[in-house]
Each structure stands twice: as structure tokens, then as C-alpha cells.
């Protein structure tokens, strides 16, 4: 569960209706953790560096009186002679557009989907904490296993919904489902999530 401390956000007027329940309790807006995306940045930087170095070396060689590299002559010839509706031109344009859209999505989205933000204390709005979704699922599953009648349980925690499946060994499945929903709701509140997901419970009687 990482802890981070942010600089004070700029002051602005926010109506209570614009805040979630967790934000009203914490007294400020809680945002998701942004990913540094170091691997993606390193790959893009490496590709740009290799292309720039290769082009620069060839340009320097041409300025020094040597002929241009074969790959650059071939590339210039293909770009000058192929029509716009050529299949390779369309394929290259589609790949370039897909890569561009992918990079834009990475730049505008926070990422780090496996981390869920927690409510910050009202007196310390710059303190931010996050919990791993798998870790939260383990805590909720352990709580589900303590419900009488539950023989096995599987919990999956998403950003907007917590899905729980349980096998009932004894008792009425409807009663077990009600108790399980109440226990999971209580355990979810103990996690102090900034945006508590909705709980969906499914039960089935164990046949063997």
C-alpha cells in the first residue's frame, strides 16, 4: 500500500454535489495514481534515437562527398513512385495512426488500474494512499469465508464493481447470500476506498 504526498492543489470552488461520498468525507478530490510508463517512454525514445542517429550519420556522409545509403535511396524512391492508394502505403499509414492513437491514450490516461485510491484524512489532504486490487480481493475473500455456510469463495475487485461467487455447503443459499453481502459491504467500508465499488454476489449450492 504505497503512500505519496502531493503539493497543495490550487484553490477552486467545488459544490458538494460534484464530489463522491469518499471525497466529501475526506474533504478533497481523490485522484487515481498516474503511471510513469517508463517502459513505453524508453521504447519510444530508443526508436527515435536510432532513427535520428542513422539519418544524421547518412546526412553527414553525403555532405562529406560519399553517396547516400542504400536504405535512404530506396525509401525515397518508394515514397516518390508508389501511389497513395497502394496497399503498403495504406498499411503503413494505418500502423502509424494506430501507434499515434496508442501514444495519445497513454498520455491522457492515468494507468495503474491495479491500484485503488483510499480516502485521505480530512486534516492531511496531500497524503495519498492506494491499495492493490488483488490484496483487497484477498481481504474480502477471507471475510466471505467466515460467513457460516460458505464452503468456497472467489472475489474479484474492479474499479466499479466487486464480484463475489460463493459455494454454499449448508443453510439456505438466499440467507447465505444476504449475510455474505452484508459482510462484504462492511469489509469494503473498512478498506476506506475513495470510490467504493458496488458489490455483486452470486451463490450456488455445492453439489458434491
Amino acid at each position: 500500500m504505497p503512500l505519496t504526498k502531493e503539493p497543495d492543489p490550487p484553490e477552486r470552488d467545488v459544490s458538494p454535489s460534484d464530489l463522491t461520498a469518499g471525497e466529501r468525507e475526506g474533504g478533497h478530490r481523490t485522484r487515481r495514481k498516474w503511471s510513469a510508463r517508463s517502459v513505453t517512454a524508453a521504447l519510444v525514445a530508443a526508436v527515435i534515437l536510432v532513427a535520428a542517429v542513422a539519418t544524421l550519420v547518412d546526412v553527414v556522409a553525403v555532405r562529406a562527398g560519399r553517396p547516400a545509403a542504400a536504405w535512404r535511396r530506396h525509401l525515397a524512391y518508394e515514397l516518390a513512385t508508389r501511389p497513395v492508394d497502394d496497399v503498403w502505403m495504406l498499411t503503413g499509414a494505418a500502423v502509424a495512426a494506430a501507434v499515434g492513437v496508442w501514444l495519445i491514450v497513454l498520455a491522457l490516461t492515468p494507468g495503474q488500474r491495479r491500484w485503488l485510491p483510499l480516502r485521505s484524512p480530512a486534516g492531511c489532504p496531500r497524503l495519498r494512499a492506494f491499495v492493490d486490487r488483488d490484496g483487497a480481493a484477498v481481504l474480502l475473500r477471507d471475510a466471505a469465508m467466515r460467513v457460516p455456510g460458505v464452503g468456497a469463495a472467489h472475489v474479484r475487485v474492479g474499479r466499479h464493481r466487486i464480484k463475489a461467487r460463493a459455494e454454499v455447503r449448508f443453510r439456505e443459499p438466499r440467507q447465505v447470500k444476504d449475510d455474505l453481502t452484508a459482510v462484504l459491504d462492511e469489509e469494503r467500508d473498512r478498506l476506506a476506498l475513495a470510490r467504493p465499488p458496488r458489490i455483486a454476489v452470486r451463490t450456488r449450492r455445492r453439489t458434491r
Side-chain angles (χ1 to χ4, degrees), residues 33-142:
K33 182 178 177 65
W34 278 77
S35 171
R37 293 192 171 95
S38 55
V39 175
T40 304
L43 290 176
V44 174
V47 171
I48 294 176
L49 179 62
V50 170
V53 170
T55 304
L56 180 61
V57 170
D58 190 58
V59 169
V60 171
V62 171
R63 294 294 183 180
R66 300 179 61 182
W71 66 268
R72 195 154 71 97
R73 295 199 305 268
H74 179 71
L75 180 61
Y77 175 79
E78 292 293 335
L79 292 176
T81 57
R82 286 186 180 271
V84 178
D85 58 350
D86 182 77
V87 61
W88 289 108
M89 296 289 287
L90 296 177
T91 302
V95 172
V99 172
V101 171
W102 176 59
L103 293 176
I104 291 175
V105 170
L106 290 181
L108 298 179
T109 54
Q112 297 285 5
R113 300 178 64 87
R114 68 188 185 94
W115 294 104
L116 297 176
L118 304 181
R119 293 195 300 267
S120 300
C124 189
R126 290 186 297 170
L127 182 64
R128 302 180 63 196
F130 305 86
V131 63
D132 182 66
R133 285 164 55 177
D134 293 337
V138 171
L139 294 176
L140 293 170
R141 185 194 62 193
D142 292 344

Side-chain angles (χ1 to χ4, degrees), residues 189-208:
D189 293 342
R190 289 179 180 177
L191 292 176
L193 298 175
R195 299 174 179 86
R198 293 180 288 110
I199 296 177
V201 177
R202 295 176 59 186
T203 58
R204 66 175 182 178
R205 184 174 293 280
R206 190 170 184 175
T207 56
R208 58 177 181 177

Side-chain angles (χ1 to χ4, degrees), residues 144-163:
M145 292 298 298
R146 293 194 294 268
V147 175
V150 174
H154 176 76
V155 179
R156 182 178 180 183
V157 178
R159 291 177 54 202
H160 305 290
R161 181 177 297 182
I162 297 174
K163 297 181 180 180

